[in-house]
Amino acid sequence: MKKILAFAMAAAMALSLAACAGAGNNNGGSSSSKGNASSGSQGGSSASAPAALTTVEAGKLHMATNAAFPPYEMLTDDGQFEGIDVEIAAKIAEKLGLELVVDDQGFTAAITAAGSGQSDIVMAGLTINEERKETLDFTDTYATGIQVVIVKEGSDVTMDNLGEKMIGCQKGTTGYQYASDTPENGGYGEDHVIGYDNGAIAVEALKGGQIDCVIIDNEPAKAYVAANEGLTLLEGTWVTEDYAIGIKKGNTQLLDAVNGALKELIADGTVKGIVDKYIPAQ
């Protein structure tokens, strides 16, 4: 999940088609969930759905995520799930004749849940890398993200001197992995990076002076800067990556079904409509 600076969609995405899927909490789902959001309908199946699609729970599509990554997945004031990934997942579930259930947990736990088959899919601003390929297969990409650097206003931190600073990242993300890698591999070394459970905690550490900057995806970064006076973004892009949906390695039936539904949603403009709803064109 390497998190990123301007948001660009794949060239195949055509006309905008607004899409909104409702979400509500209940007490079911996996034991690691904070709550479940159900969306979609049993009557919305299409040619994408095989006759006997096996999922973790019959009739449902469990999506593992970390709902602290706006605007992709987040909680509303009344505890409901919303965001780009949530709505895309709901539309995929609808095409497959399933009901979406959101399993909210830590980012690393969400990847593990999908990789071990406790959840059907993982969507959490997730990018593809070799480590994740050991336990997950991936769909086509559906969005492009940019990672940026948050600093305090007036800071002396630049893109060129990050290796001399203390950097905060969300644990388990590609941002954390790349930043903490050795200088020989393009990173800054583990001594220069502190991992936090989510971006909000990292931002609080920045405000409190425990770190010099935060590396995170552009859209969450803009939200954090807007909500916290005295913070700003460094000019420029740290890294650019593509987002995809992760599914337990070897589950080709589910992978093909989900990827087929995703392709249809990209082709008919639904995915672009959802993205435009949360990230209006500048």
Side-chain angles (χ1 to χ4, degrees):
M1 172 174 98
K2 197 164 188 182
K3 309 192 164 188
I4 337 185
L5 207 185
F7 188 97
M9 294 302 303
M13 301 179 186
L15 299 175
S16 170
L17 184 117
C20 180
N25 288 341
N26 57 52
N27 294 322
S30 68
S31 59
S32 59
S33 302
K34 291 179 185 174
N36 292 331
S38 298
S39 300
S41 65
Q42 300 295 331
S45 60
S46 73
S48 301
L53 185 63
T54 300
T55 56
V56 170
E57 184 179 1
K60 300 182 186 297
L61 182 72
H62 278 259
M63 166 192 166
T65 195
N66 176 223
F69 185 54
Y72 298 95
E73 37 271 320
M74 51 204 171
L75 288 169
T76 63
D77 291 340
D78 60 353
Q80 308 301 306
F81 295 103
E82 67 175 359
I84 293 169
D85 286 348
V86 176
E87 292 201 19
I88 292 174
K91 287 297 184 181
I92 290 172
E94 183 179 344
K95 279 189 170 289
L96 300 181
L98 302 171
E99 177 186 3
L100 178 66
V101 179
V102 176
D103 297 335
D104 183 21
Q105 52 209 285
F107 177 70
T108 302
I111 294 173
T112 300
S116 63
Q118 295 174 318
S119 295
D120 297 302
I121 64 174
V122 54
M123 294 180 73
L126 189 69
T127 53
I128 304 169
N129 64 24
E130 293 306 313
E131 180 180 347
R132 292 172 185 165
K133 284 182 178 180
E134 293 177 5
T135 58
L136 296 171
D137 289 327
F138 290 90
T139 64
D140 294 346
T141 59
Y142 61 90
T144 298
I146 298 165
Q147 292 201 34
V148 297
V149 181
I150 306 175
V151 297
K152 288 184 177 180
E153 292 179 350
S155 169
D156 65 349
V157 177
T158 69
M159 288 288 187
D160 294 328
N161 68 6
L162 286 173
E164 304 168 10
K165 305 298 181 180
M166 285 304 300
I167 303 164
C169 299
Q170 184 176 351
K171 294 176 183 176
T173 64
T174 49
Y176 176 84
Q177 293 168 1
Y178 295 161
S180 61
D181 206 345
T182 63
E184 292 78 13
N185 291 329
Y188 310 114
E190 293 182 353
D191 292 345
H192 288 278
V193 182
I194 298 176
Y196 297 91
D197 288 340
N198 56 54
I201 298 174
V203 168
E204 288 301 313
L206 172 61
K207 291 166 59 180
Q210 285 110 13
I211 53 177
D212 299 306
C213 62
V214 174
I215 292 176
I216 194 169
D217 284 49
N218 183 54
E219 294 305 324
K222 289 192 295 186
Y224 289 134
V225 167
N228 292 275
E229 187 176 354
L231 299 184
T232 188
L233 298 178
L234 287 185
E235 185 175 349
T237 298
W238 189 65
V239 171
T240 299
E241 291 184 316
D242 293 321
Y243 296 153
I245 302 170
I247 295 168
K248 182 179 179 181
K249 194 170 186 65
N251 191 347
T252 55
Q253 182 196 41
L254 184 60
L255 177 67
D256 291 345
V258 170
N259 204 35
L262 177 63
K263 286 176 181 288
E264 293 177 8
L265 293 169
I266 290 173
D268 69 13
T270 298
V271 169
K272 185 177 186 302
I274 293 171
V275 172
D276 289 347
K277 172 183 172 181
Y278 288 93
I279 309 175
Q282 300 297 319

